[in-house]
Amino acid sequence: MSNDLRLTIAEIIKRPLFQHTHVVAGHRGLSRPIRWVHVLETADTGQFLNGGELILSTGLGFGEEKEKRLAYLTELIRRKAVGLCIELGRYIPSIPDDMIELANHHQFPLLVFHQPVRFVDITQDLHEHLIHAQMQALRNLEAYSRSLQQLSLQAAGTLKLLQHFQVAVQTQVFYYSPDGSTQFAPVVPHDVAVEMSDLMGSHFSEMDSSTEAGVRFLSLSVTRQLAYQPVMVMGHVLAYVGIVLYERSADEYLLLTLDNTVSAMAQLLMRKMFVEEQALATENRLFDDLIANRSLSEEQMRSLLGMTGGSKTPSFHMIILSFEKSKNLVEDSLPPHDLTAIFRSLLTRHRFRPFIRCIGNRFYFLLMEQQPLADSRRSLEKAFRDVQKMIGQTLGEDVQIWMGISRMGKRLSEAGRHLAEAEQALAFYHESSSPFFADLGLFRLLFHVPNEPVLTVFISDYLGPLLAHDQAYGSSLVQTLRVYLDANLSKQEAAQKLFIHRQTLYHRLEKIEEILGEDFAATQNRICLEIALRARDWLSKEESHH
């Protein structure tokens, strides 16, 4: 369809008004499509060209002067005109060799009229054809858009859409998914498909997964290139759809048809993802049981996760992601739970098998390694950078995000314990520079200490007198102690963080020393106080969750 709408130089020389025309140079450029026809006699008016014009001239502006004619021809080539038609006569009786040589060098068609011809007749004839072709292209595009809508209503798959696209553009098209699957229409030989898939995989993997929408080009050889466009949903690239162009450039009809196809493909993939999410109710049951601290056996877990037979349980990780929405977020923005489908696609691309549950402002993840990863931690960090970026794009760039990541799990029956590790890592997120439970150091021990009576007694023994003083006098000695210890006993830094004068800090420290003893900052006592302060924070957060 697209080929019928392209008016090339090779086609116009077959028209009646060009019957006495002869191509003297630039034969290899005859396939160039013409966008418009323009009469231009001098090089200094080349600024009015937009590219794609066929130029008509009598030679009036340059005649037989070598410098002028070469400057004129060079300007047309620079301005991306598609060809030059010269009427031989009084101003230029024949085409000099230097013009022919320059035109051949740039594959720029140079045509001559051996008999006088009315330029107005040529422009009228070709403009009518071009306008008719543009109108026909718009009608074809509108019809194509309607047919895409009908296909969407019929719940067509990606291959059906791709085949429909191929019929519309009459050239090789493809669909590439980052998971490695590639479809071609028409079907290509297996070795060609493998070669193309590998090439696209290498090229697309280097691109940002949240790349800007719009058409891009990839040159394969001098005569062959790909024109492709990402299929994006909520800023996330799900696939690529493209055209293989051989000895031709992409015209507007091709690019608009590609854009319409990509939009339809995005709707199809998004609908498919959300339908799949609805079918994952067992995941909700699994996480609800784990969150409620209901223990599940290995077999129960395997059944809920759809794992059958005696296959080995892969390594897994439990992650909790908590967020606070942006204050500037519009009310009708995307609900957080609708992001689960996008996260599933994104995490799968990072070689995890994800199970996800969204409750309120929290996402719970159970990530299974599809195959043993050389560096699980690095893979997790990379994956969740993308997750956080996606949340920022959809819920607002100033959204606050906190995370807790458990140690690697080997037995599914211990998933609840690993979820508790993620919970503890999340609870200490403000105190730790890392979201990993494994990095909590000494504070990991709190996870194994019973809340009652051990922790509460421990807190009371070390902080009780200070807590009682704060309650009785409305002071903030506990907070002062916390900041002072966090500042590694630097009085200047502690005073700055507390926004008080240093003399005020001295008075408070003297009071703390009076209550706790003058050796409260000694190594052994300091460690106990640090643990007691963190344990108190953790217990208060635990109580707020229950």
Side-chain angles (χ1 to χ4, degrees), residues 316-367:
F316 67 90
H317 311 265
M318 300 297 301
I319 298 100
I320 302 174
L321 186 149
S322 178
F323 62 92
E324 184 179 320
K325 289 184 183 180
S326 166
K327 294 178 181 178
N328 300 322
L329 194 66
V330 292
E331 288 298 320
D332 60 349
S333 62
L334 189 74
H337 60 78
D338 280 357
L339 286 170
T340 54
I342 304 297
F343 290 163
R344 197 176 306 281
S345 170
L346 191 154
L347 291 167
T348 300
R349 191 175 303 176
H350 283 279
R351 297 162 65 190
F352 292 105
R353 182 187 175 195
F355 298 89
I356 310 169
R357 177 80 157 112
C358 178
I359 302 177
N361 283 9
R362 274 190 171 198
F363 285 98
Y364 295 85
F365 299 89
L366 188 159
L367 300 188

Side-chain angles (χ1 to χ4, degrees), residues 18 59 69 77 148 161 235 288 329 339 386 399 405 419 427 456 496:
F18 288 82
R69 64 174 176 255
I77 294 169
L148 280 178
L161 274 182
D288 288 344
L329 194 66
L339 286 170
D386 287 347
V399 63
I405 303 175
L419 183 65
T456 48
Q496 288 175 346

Side-chain angles (χ1 to χ4, degrees), residues 280-291:
L280 296 171
T282 54
E283 289 189 18
N284 294 345
R285 178 187 158 194
L286 178 150
F287 279 108
D288 288 344
D289 284 345
L290 292 178
I291 293 166

Side-chain angles (χ1 to χ4, degrees), residues 232-237 270 273-274 334 338-339 341-342 390 393-394:
M232 301 182 71
V233 174
M234 290 178 269
H236 174 57
V237 177
M270 185 163 61
M273 287 163 57
F274 289 153
L334 189 74
D338 280 357
L339 286 170
I342 304 297
M390 185 64 58
Q393 289 175 343
T394 52

Side-chain angles (χ1 to χ4, degrees), residues 200-392:
M200 287 188 284
S202 174
H203 175 69
F204 293 140
S205 65
E206 296 174 359
M207 298 181 65
D208 185 357
S209 62
S210 57
T211 184
E212 293 295 320
V215 69
R216 293 169 181 259
F217 296 91
L218 173 61
S219 179
L220 303 179
S221 66
V222 177
T223 57
R224 195 169 56 144
Q225 67 172 337
L226 303 183
Y228 65 90
Q229 193 168 326
V231 181
M232 301 182 71
V233 174
M234 290 178 269
H236 174 57
V237 177
L238 296 178
Y240 296 89
V241 175
I243 308 167
V244 182
L245 299 169
Y246 182 70
E247 289 192 337
R248 64 178 291 187
S249 57
D251 57 42
E252 290 181 23
Y253 175 80
L254 275 181
L255 297 181
L256 288 171
T257 308
L258 171 61
D259 188 64
N260 277 1
T261 305
V262 165
S263 297
M265 199 71 79
Q267 294 174 17
L268 169 70
L269 293 179
M270 185 163 61
R271 187 168 60 243
K272 180 183 176 185
M273 287 163 57
F274 289 153
V275 168
E276 289 173 350
E277 287 300 311
Q278 294 299 315
L280 296 171
T282 54
E283 289 189 18
N284 294 345
R285 178 187 158 194
L286 178 150
F287 279 108
D288 288 344
D289 284 345
L290 292 178
I291 293 166
N293 203 25
R294 289 191 286 268
S295 60
L296 297 169
S297 69
E298 192 78 12
E299 286 309 311
Q300 285 176 310
M301 286 288 292
R302 288 177 66 88
S303 176
L304 285 171
L305 297 177
M307 299 175 65
T308 57
S311 59
K312 183 182 177 182
T313 300
S315 300
F316 67 90
H317 311 265
M318 300 297 301
I319 298 100
I320 302 174
L321 186 149
S322 178
F323 62 92
E324 184 179 320
K325 289 184 183 180
S326 166
K327 294 178 181 178
N328 300 322
L329 194 66
V330 292
E331 288 298 320
D332 60 349
S333 62
L334 189 74
H337 60 78
D338 280 357
L339 286 170
T340 54
I342 304 297
F343 290 163
R344 197 176 306 281
S345 170
L346 191 154
L347 291 167
T348 300
R349 191 175 303 176
H350 283 279
R351 297 162 65 190
F352 292 105
R353 182 187 175 195
F355 298 89
I356 310 169
R357 177 80 157 112
C358 178
I359 302 177
N361 283 9
R362 274 190 171 198
F363 285 98
Y364 295 85
F365 299 89
L366 188 159
L367 300 188
M368 287 185 157
E369 297 183 6
Q370 293 183 4
Q371 55 188 12
L373 299 174
D375 190 339
S376 296
R377 177 170 178 141
R378 187 174 178 183
S379 297
L380 284 168
E381 288 173 339
K382 188 175 180 182
F384 276 90
R385 276 198 298 271
D386 287 347
V387 167
Q388 288 175 292
K389 186 176 181 181
M390 185 64 58
I391 291 177

